[in-house]
Amino acid sequence: MHNTKTDNNMDELLLIEAVERYINGDMTPKEQVFFEEIRKNNPTIDQMIVEHTFLYHELTKQANIKAYKHSLYEVENKLSEEGFISKAKLYSKAKVVFFWKKYKRNIAVAASIAGLVSIATTILISSYNNKLGNSNITVLMAKIDNTAKKVDQLDKAITANPSIQKNPSPDYRATGFLIDGNGFILTNAHVVNRMKNIYVENKEGVYFAAQTIYTDENTDLAILKINDISYKTIYNLPYSINKKNSNLGEQIFTLGYPRNEIVYGEGYVSAKSGNEGDSTAYQVSVSVNPGNSGGPVLNNKGEIIGIITSKNSVADGVVFAAKSKNIYSLIEAFKKADNNATIIKLPTSNSLKGFDREQQVKKMENFVFMVVGN
Amino acid sequence: MSNLEQEKQLLAGLALNDSIVIEAIYRDNYPIIQALILNNNGNSDEARDIFQEAMVVIYEKAVSGNFELNCQLKTYLYSICRRLWLKRLQQLQRFGNLIEHLEETVVVEEDLELHEKHNADFIMMEEAMNKIGEPCKSLLEAYYIQKKNMQEIATDFGYTNSDNAKTQKYKCLIRLKKLFFAQYKNG
């Protein structure tokens, strides 16, 4: 029994070798005739040869494509070095590229990109709907300029505060908030996608190193984990995260870092769907600016109902926020993706209820972080 | 006419993986493709991806030998990229009408279907390769992809002689074949 099997294996090895030589044309004419004769008379062997030839071709094709892709990368790298292919991440219109280049010198590099996160989003959103007019480009310029000043302040703050030194040059700024006192912070996927090194800063201006552990492009959400020994676990987050849809007209407020300082904004839920009927988001009416991305949206009871993601740069006061119930599905998906990961426990009890707005904000601001990175 | 001849030569060079030809095609076509993507909700990384994929499409065509250029290479590349980008936009759910300058396009659906099939085969082979484990994977790659000869491989992998290495290689190939066809038939 055992022997036959070994024999079969040996036969198969010999046959494969023969096939390979046959395909490569390495056989002597005599061998070739002999081999073709076997093929003709033995359908099983013929089938083997067909299969093997196919496999062999696939393997060679694979090898060639890999080599070709390698050449593509090399050419691409060369052209990138030359500047023929733009290396910088540019979003939206080609015209932006032009302005970007033109004003690059005037604006501290770190500064200008900070605004781009959300500016890019707004432009992206508006360009879904209609073509951009030139007027929007001017707006963008002003914004970059403004942000330049703001981030200038940020730079000053960095030199002033030695504890911040470990983060030398933040290129982007946005907002995030704790969803688990063990250092899990929720923010937007579009925020972390542009950052290699991520830091979060609390209200006191203390920086902690953080890492992206999960992102979901569909809902534009991302989970960060603070990886810093100086971070102390916070127990009992005072807010809960709403699983249900909010009602039209519900009063809301948000906290975020459009400046180097936490900024409060209030408004209401203006539509139950986001951009172009996106059912995973709300349209809210609240004043936000670049840097607000990832900020929590809370209702009167102090429940988190959404996360600021983007705004329409053409229409005034049209802001989109991802619905809070997406956070639950995000956590589920994260669990599924990585079984070994620490379990994230979302806050369930809400102790902000019944307080007046000032009190709520005072408590809340301890858990909202500035997300910066480069 | 001489233009057409020139492009034929380019494609022949492409089939041989000639990096000078690749560079020439990049220089002639990349800017317009980048503009297409940037003007339509894309970024420069995405422009690079799309262009790369289009380059693979024309490579596959060039290798297949039956590439009949009935339009300019430029037009063909543009059409491919446009199609690929529309598809990507759909996947990303970034809807919207393409903003375009009036570039000429040709029908490329069939070519792209073929390309997708090639892509699927490529992925299947990649997966089968990943499943056979070591040292099989490295052994097969050394022989079939890096084209090393059996003597070199025997030395590299520590086989006492090239015959042993060869036997091992064929055993690995049989395993690969099983894995590949299992997927192939399922897919």
Side-chain angles (χ1 to χ4, degrees):
Chain A
M1 210 31 197
H2 181 75
N3 263 340
T4 351
K5 204 176 166 228
T6 323
D7 281 355
N8 273 342
N9 272 344
M10 279 312 290
D11 284 352
E12 201 174 354
L13 287 187
L14 284 175
L15 195 65
I16 282 193
E17 187 181 358
V19 172
E20 217 165 86
R21 289 175 54 222
Y22 177 68
I23 299 169
N24 284 341
D26 291 342
M27 282 184 165
T28 62
K30 211 173 147 191
E31 267 182 311
Q32 208 174 323
V33 172
F34 181 69
F35 192 74
E36 270 161 9
E37 195 63 29
I38 297 177
R39 254 191 101 162
K40 233 181 267 167
N41 298 325
N42 192 328
T44 324
I45 289 183
D46 198 34
Q47 168 67 15
M48 265 188 80
I49 292 168
V50 170
E51 278 186 4
H52 190 83
T53 315
F54 184 75
L55 182 77
Y56 187 78
H57 279 307
E58 284 300 316
L59 252 176
T60 326
K61 234 166 63 186
Q62 175 96 353
N64 290 337
I65 288 260
K66 275 196 167 172
Y68 176 74
K69 281 187 176 167
H70 184 74
S71 310
L72 284 186
Y73 284 123
E74 281 188 341
V75 169
E76 206 186 68
N77 275 342
K78 185 185 164 198
L79 295 177
S80 297
E81 293 295 310
E82 264 180 42
F84 182 77
I85 292 179
S86 45
K87 255 195 271 184
K89 292 199 165 196
L90 303 164
Y91 297 90
S92 172
K93 316 275 293 183
K95 278 171 192 152
V96 179
V97 182
F98 165 72
F99 282 118
W100 167 238
K101 279 190 180 145
K102 190 169 170 192
Y103 287 94
K104 192 157 71 173
R105 246 181 277 157
N106 307 350
I107 302 169
V109 176
S112 41
I113 314 177
L116 271 183
V117 179
S118 337
I119 291 173
T121 318
T122 56
I123 286 199
L124 207 60
I125 300 282
S126 64
S127 63
Y128 292 173
N129 301 328
N130 40 40
K131 297 173 190 180
L132 279 172
N134 280 336
S135 56
N136 289 90
I137 304 292
T138 12
V139 172
L140 175 65
M141 271 175 56
K143 276 184 182 164
I144 286 183
D145 238 9
N146 277 341
T147 327
K149 277 185 218 141
K150 280 171 206 156
V151 181
D152 216 27
Q153 290 162 5
L154 179 67
D155 281 343
K156 272 180 215 145
I158 287 171
T159 24
N161 190 340
S163 75
I164 304 174
Q165 287 295 348
K166 57 184 169 182
N167 179 25
S169 58
D171 289 344
Y172 301 99
R173 177 160 38 108
T175 308
F177 59 96
L178 280 174
I179 49 168
D180 179 327
N182 279 319
F184 292 99
I185 286 181
L186 192 80
T187 185
N188 284 145
H190 76 253
V191 170
V192 299
N193 284 350
R194 285 137 172 93
M195 296 180 182
K196 250 194 232 138
N197 305 306
I198 303 174
Y199 295 87
V200 295
E201 186 197 340
N202 66 12
K203 182 184 65 136
E204 270 87 42
V206 183
Y207 273 78
F208 304 102
Q211 208 180 358
T212 311
I213 55 169
Y214 195 73
T215 54
D216 178 40
E217 305 287 343
N218 272 339
T219 50
D220 195 10
L221 294 179
I223 309 171
L224 298 177
K225 169 88 173 79
I226 297 179
N227 275 336
D228 207 315
I229 33 165
S230 59
Y231 175 78
K232 302 257 180 339
T233 303
I234 296 173
Y235 297 97
N236 301 329
L237 299 178
Y239 42 88
S240 62
I241 295 171
N242 208 335
K243 270 184 192 164
K244 284 177 279 182
N245 278 345
S246 285
N247 293 320
L248 227 54
E250 198 168 325
Q251 299 287 322
I252 52 131
F253 71 97
T254 181
L255 287 167
Y257 285 93
R259 302 171 49 193
N260 196 26
E261 192 186 320
I262 195 158
V263 172
Y264 168 83
E266 62 179 32
Y268 48 87
V269 176
S270 42
K272 284 186 175 177
S273 67
N275 186 40
E276 299 212 326
D278 177 4
S279 63
T280 66
Y282 297 115
Q283 183 186 323
V284 293
S285 178
V286 63
S287 153
V288 294
N289 284 304
N292 269 103
S293 277
V297 180
L298 294 97
N299 63 13
N300 273 339
K301 292 181 216 156
E303 296 166 336
I304 289 183
I305 64 140
I307 304 96
I308 297 287
T309 53
S310 55
K311 74 169 177 178
N312 188 318
S313 66
V314 181
D316 215 25
V318 176
V319 174
F320 302 109
K323 290 181 182 172
S324 55
K325 61 179 177 186
N326 293 323
I327 302 175
Y328 289 94
S329 38
L330 184 77
I331 302 292
E332 276 306 305
F334 168 62
K335 253 192 244 165
K336 260 185 212 152
D338 189 352
N339 285 327
N340 303 324
T342 338
I343 294 165
I344 298 178
K345 275 183 74 183
L346 294 177
T348 47
S349 65
N350 175 7
S351 55
L352 292 176
K353 199 175 172 182
F355 283 101
D356 63 22
R357 187 57 65 79
E358 273 177 61
Q359 297 289 329
Q360 286 178 336
V361 171
K362 203 168 234 172
K363 285 201 168 159
M364 188 67 205
E365 60 182 3
N366 295 318
F367 311 105
V368 179
F369 287 71
M370 188 194 295
V371 179
V372 292
N374 51 20
Chain B
M1 267 302 115
S2 74
N3 203 355
L4 209 67
E5 278 305 309
Q6 222 178 336
E7 294 199 332
K8 255 189 185 159
Q9 272 183 3
L10 278 181
L11 288 174
L14 203 66
L16 296 172
N17 191 3
D18 182 341
S19 56
I20 294 171
V21 171
I22 295 175
E23 192 179 324
I25 297 178
Y26 259 89
R27 284 195 189 280
D28 283 349
N29 297 281
Y30 193 77
I32 190 162
I33 302 300
Q34 179 172 266
L36 168 77
I37 312 264
L38 291 183
N39 282 331
N40 290 287
N41 292 341
N43 61 42
S44 62
D45 282 351
E46 285 162 333
R48 286 216 298 254
D49 277 358
I50 294 287
F51 196 78
Q52 249 178 38
E53 196 166 346
M55 286 298 282
V56 173
V57 175
I58 58 169
Y59 170 79
E60 283 164 357
K61 286 216 82 163
V63 170
S64 77
N66 54 11
F67 196 174
E68 279 178 29
L69 264 187
N70 37 25
C71 65
Q72 276 197 343
L73 184 60
K74 208 179 192 95
T75 310
Y76 186 76
L77 262 174
Y78 183 86
S79 310
I80 293 276
C81 289
R82 183 179 171 276
R83 204 56 236 159
L84 287 172
W85 183 237
L86 274 172
K87 220 180 144 198
R88 184 77 63 90
L89 280 176
Q90 236 165 28
Q91 283 165 352
L92 295 172
Q93 299 194 305
R94 291 190 211 154
F95 301 108
N97 298 325
L98 278 195
I99 305 162
E100 285 180 288
H101 309 289
L102 294 168
E103 301 293 338
E104 189 191 347
T105 58
V106 289
V107 180
V108 290
E109 270 67 13
E110 265 177 42
D111 289 350
L112 281 179
E113 261 171 43
L114 199 65
H115 167 66
E116 261 168 35
K117 162 121 194 10
H118 282 151
N119 239 351
D121 289 350
F122 183 89
I123 290 166
M124 264 188 257
M125 181 55 84
E126 196 100 312
E127 276 177 8
M129 273 290 219
N130 286 334
K131 276 187 195 156
I132 55 171
E134 292 296 355
C136 267
K137 184 172 181 253
S138 305
L139 197 61
L140 291 182
E141 278 178 354
Y143 187 79
Y144 291 101
I145 296 184
Q146 293 147 26
K147 313 262 183 217
K148 290 187 178 170
N149 67 40
M150 272 343 275
Q151 190 51 55
E152 270 179 275
I153 291 174
T155 322
D156 286 356
F157 285 77
Y159 290 103
T160 38
N161 57 52
S162 62
D163 275 348
N164 283 350
K166 205 156 136 188
T167 310
Q168 190 56 43
K169 187 201 86 181
Y170 286 129
K171 280 186 182 164
C172 291
L173 198 64
I174 291 171
R175 283 181 58 189
L176 180 73
K177 188 173 142 188
K178 275 187 192 142
L179 283 165
F180 179 75
F181 280 106
Q183 290 189 58
Y184 202 79
K185 278 159 192 163
N186 287 336

